[in-house]
Amino acid sequence: MPGAQTQDGDHWEALPAGIRAQVDGYVLQDSLFPAVKLVWDAGRACGIGLHEAQRVVHERYVLHGARVARTPESPLDLESLTALVSGLPGRVAAIEAVWDGDTVHDWFVRLLAITDDPAEERHLATVYSRRDRDPAEAATEAGRTLADHLGVPFHFPGPDDPGYDAPRWRP
């Protein structure tokens, strides 16, 4: 039999102290998904659904604020990107920017090195949206600069249209 429903403000207090400590640990490490899953799993008995779990964890992020060890941003400077591609197996044939997204970050751009022999793509950077930066513009600038430096093509098929259906680079 499910436990009694709690009011929104009581969801955090309804969780056992050990669970609350673990959730705060996840939040302080910027581990959103494990924190939400833990609140949801441990809170089902007291009526905490997925939406409530997300809200509880969001409130913990707000509470901890600057103490949260945010995932560092990928470097976009030429020196850093050049160092990343210099260690790749095979020749870099192109630099490509592609849209990606998730429920935490919304849409963001992944900057990739496309190699031949072995034919594969290697992640170089992830460019998230910020108040002071459009991810497509930042990825385009960094990707073009790197591609020009390497003497290879730069491909970003849909900088103005986030989505998964844009054509990928082909030699």
Side-chain angles (χ1 to χ4, degrees):
M1 181 165 105
Q5 293 281 342
T6 60
Q7 298 299 315
D8 286 346
D10 297 331
H11 289 310
W12 178 248
E13 291 300 323
L15 296 168
I19 298 296
R20 292 194 312 259
Q22 188 176 9
V23 167
D24 276 348
Y26 281 137
V27 168
L28 290 168
Q29 294 173 357
D30 199 17
S31 297
L32 176 71
F33 288 127
V36 170
K37 183 176 184 327
L38 181 59
V39 171
W40 189 26
D41 288 346
R44 283 187 182 127
C46 56
I48 297 176
L50 180 58
H51 180 72
E52 292 83 13
Q54 290 171 321
R55 193 168 43 231
V56 164
V57 171
H58 170 75
E59 290 169 3
R60 302 311 293 173
Y61 267 85
V62 170
L63 175 77
H64 291 297
R67 291 184 55 217
V68 176
R70 299 287 181 178
T71 303
E73 292 199 20
S74 298
L76 296 177
D77 62 284
L78 180 59
E79 182 180 15
S80 297
L81 293 172
T82 301
L84 290 170
V85 298
S86 69
L88 296 178
R91 183 184 75 85
V92 176
I95 301 298
E96 184 173 36
V98 296
W99 284 104
D100 201 349
D102 62 35
T103 57
V104 175
H105 302 100
D106 199 20
W107 288 105
F108 52 89
V109 179
R110 293 185 313 124
L111 198 59
L112 308 170
I114 308 299
T115 62
D116 58 9
D117 195 27
E120 58 189 27
E121 62 184 44
R122 293 293 186 105
H123 178 266
L124 299 175
T126 302
V127 187
Y128 297 105
S129 182
R130 293 189 331 211
R131 288 184 190 141
D132 65 334
R133 174 182 74 192
D134 174 77
E137 290 175 10
T140 297
E141 181 180 340
R144 262 202 194 112
T145 301
L146 178 61
D148 290 348
H149 176 74
L150 298 173
V152 298
F154 173 70
H155 184 250
F156 193 177
D160 299 320
D161 186 23
Y164 299 110
D165 298 329
R168 296 296 305 273
W169 184 82
R170 299 290 178 250

